[in-house]
Amino acid sequence: MSVPRNVQRFEALLYASLMLDSLSVAVQDRTPTVETTEQMIMTTTLLAGGMILLMVYFVRLAARWRKNWPRWVLAAALVLSVISLAQILGERGLELDSAIEIVSCVLTAFGLYFSFTGDAKGWFNA
């Protein structure tokens, strides 16, 4: 059976979003301060990379293995990302990494929309 068009869009948009997330991690300010040590910065960067890899796995589970629950995990992650982004924008304003995150959140939202509509409705197993 071929993959429905909306599932292909979902997969492409989510992978593009995760690619932007990795770019955002790459351009983050890593200057140690009194409050953040080099070890804390390294740990944060490694955790972000691990989360991106986990999200790649969830996209694959949903799009290729037809699992339903990873879509909901990705939707919950989007909600948490938007909340975190709002806090960051309130504290620091618009910077390069937060602008990239805004685009990433929009791509994720569109991708998830495609995964719940059209010919994708019957694709995912419960």
Side-chain angles (χ1 to χ4, degrees), residues 6-19:
N6 275 9
V7 175
Q8 291 174 352
R9 290 178 182 145
F10 157 75
E11 188 176 23
L13 288 170
L14 267 288
Y15 284 145
S17 169
L18 291 169
M19 196 166 46

Side-chain angles (χ1 to χ4, degrees), residues 77-94:
L78 174 63
V79 169
L80 294 175
S81 293
V82 169
I83 293 170
S84 172
L85 183 59
Q87 291 174 341
I88 290 170
L89 288 173
E91 290 175 8
R92 295 185 300 191
L94 188 62

Side-chain angles (χ1 to χ4, degrees), residues 51-70:
M51 287 298 295
I52 290 170
L53 289 175
L54 183 63
M55 295 300 157
V56 166
Y57 179 64
F58 286 162
V59 172
R60 179 127 183 113
L61 276 176
R64 298 296 170 171
W65 293 6
R66 302 176 70 171
K67 301 293 181 188
N68 188 35
W69 64 267

Side-chain angles (χ1 to χ4, degrees), residues 8-48:
Q8 291 174 352
R9 290 178 182 145
F10 157 75
E11 188 176 23
L13 288 170
L14 267 288
Y15 284 145
S17 169
L18 291 169
M19 196 166 46
L20 284 176
D21 287 341
S22 62
L23 178 65
S24 175
V25 169
V27 299
Q28 281 179 346
D29 183 22
R30 290 193 184 90
T31 308
T33 63
V34 176
E35 299 166 350
T36 57
T37 64
E38 288 184 23
Q39 292 171 339
M40 290 171 63
I41 294 168
M42 177 65 79
T43 303
T44 304
T45 304
L46 289 175
L47 281 174

